[in-house]
Amino acid sequence: MPDAEAVSRRAAGEVAALVRRGGPATVALPTGETPKGMYEELVIMSGQGLDWSGVTVFSLDEYVGVPEASPLNYKGYMERHFFSKVNVPVSGRHIFDSLCASPKAECERYDRLIAEAGGFDLAVVGIGQNGHVAFNEPGERLILPCHVQELSDDTILANRAVTETEARIVGAEVPARDGFPTHAMTVGMAAILGARSILLIATGRSKTEALTSMRDGTMTTRVPASLLQLHENCTIVADAQAAGGMQI
Ligand code: PGA
């Protein structure tokens, strides 16, 4: 794709095609800088009559212990960029409860909800500069179900960018480095790989290395996105900067 706008249009087109198919549909959706353009496109389509009334959405991840008013909170992000502007039924808007008493129990609840929904028809995911998918961070092992994940320094640093933009939108201060949450709840690789189709979106030069190592024909938990190579229906949509000369 030539640029980020084209990636957003293509990603929105894939989501909209599923929604237009009619009947119930379950979609996993990401947060971060990359998908903002996709949400903008989807909101425009909603204004033109795209009907979300049969759609269930699972947000992929959420920090532990962050109130909704914080620019870090992903429920707030989803409300601002998407939910407040589309007619996804309130009962079909799922996101981990950041302030839950037991993040472990919350993860178990989320896995149960995903199972009850019959898994994802489509999982739209981003990729971290370190190769993470949702908040499945590189490591010796990956935990397959929804789980509480300790965040790497790389991820905390990279996520400052989106927090700064969100802070401007909500008129809040960006928390200091030591005020950033160290843990998040994330959908695990099991539910992501169990999706009927996966769409990975990536834009910008900072993603080239991660994209290269996720597509090199080897698989390692050190690059969680490399597991997506096993999936029969995984599409990568990247702009020219992220692709860095690769044929995608
Ligand atoms: P980004 O995050 O869209 O803010 O780059 C992607 C990710 O970390 O999965």
Side-chain angles (χ1 to χ4, degrees):
M1 298 273 146
D3 53 28
E5 286 71 32
V7 170
S8 298
R9 277 195 299 275
R10 169 74 195 281
E14 296 281 336
V15 176
L18 176 67
V19 175
R20 282 198 194 100
R21 205 183 61 184
T26 303
V27 191
L29 292 176
T31 48
E33 276 305 303
T34 317
K36 283 182 179 171
M38 174 186 79
Y39 291 126
E40 279 169 23
E41 294 287 334
L42 289 173
V43 167
I44 292 170
M45 292 179 191
S46 289
Q48 295 164 347
L50 186 64
D51 178 13
W52 298 82
S53 57
V55 179
T56 300
V57 172
F58 285 89
S59 200
L60 283 171
D61 43 24
E62 175 64 286
Y63 292 110
V64 172
V66 174
E68 195 174 331
S70 163
L72 282 155
N73 182 282
Y74 283 163
K75 178 158 191 254
Y77 171 111
M78 289 301 287
E79 286 295 333
R80 277 189 295 284
H81 295 286
F82 186 57
F83 285 143
S84 63
K85 300 169 179 171
V86 297
N87 70 330
V88 174
V90 173
S91 61
R93 303 175 181 188
H94 299 295
I95 187 152
F96 295 97
D97 178 4
S98 185
L99 297 179
C100 59
S102 164
K104 186 170 177 291
E106 177 66 356
C107 288
E108 287 163 8
R109 181 187 76 91
Y110 215 68
D111 258 332
R112 274 196 307 276
L113 283 176
I114 295 169
E116 280 164 23
F120 306 138
D121 293 303
L122 170 65
V124 183
V125 299
I127 183 169
Q129 292 172 32
N130 64 359
H132 74 206
V133 177
F135 271 140
N136 294 280
E137 293 275 57
E140 242 171 72
R141 288 157 187 247
L142 291 174
I143 300 169
L144 292 173
C146 292
H147 59 279
V148 179
Q149 174 77 54
E150 183 171 4
L151 301 174
S152 66
D153 287 343
D154 293 345
T155 292
I156 291 172
L157 192 68
N159 283 9
R160 230 187 136 73
V162 66
T163 309
E164 280 167 3
T165 331
E166 293 305 300
R168 272 196 295 279
I169 299 173
V170 300
E173 293 288 316
V174 181
R177 167 69 182 80
D178 59 5
F180 264 65
T182 53
H183 290 75
M185 292 167 278
T186 184
V187 170
M189 292 307 294
I192 293 170
L193 288 169
R196 257 79 72 199
S197 61
I198 301 174
L199 190 71
L200 184 147
I201 52 175
T203 58
R205 245 180 263 295
S206 67
K207 300 295 172 69
T208 311
E209 202 186 321
L211 269 189
T212 308
S213 43
M214 76 151 283
R215 312 180 60 244
D216 69 359
T218 64
M219 223 173 51
T220 168
T221 57
R222 300 268 169 210
V223 184
S226 67
L227 273 71
L228 301 183
Q229 294 173 107
L230 288 175
H231 199 279
E232 286 184 347
N233 195 4
C234 175
T235 306
I236 299 173
V237 184
D239 69 357
Q241 288 195 346
M246 277 181 285
Q247 291 300 319
I248 291 185

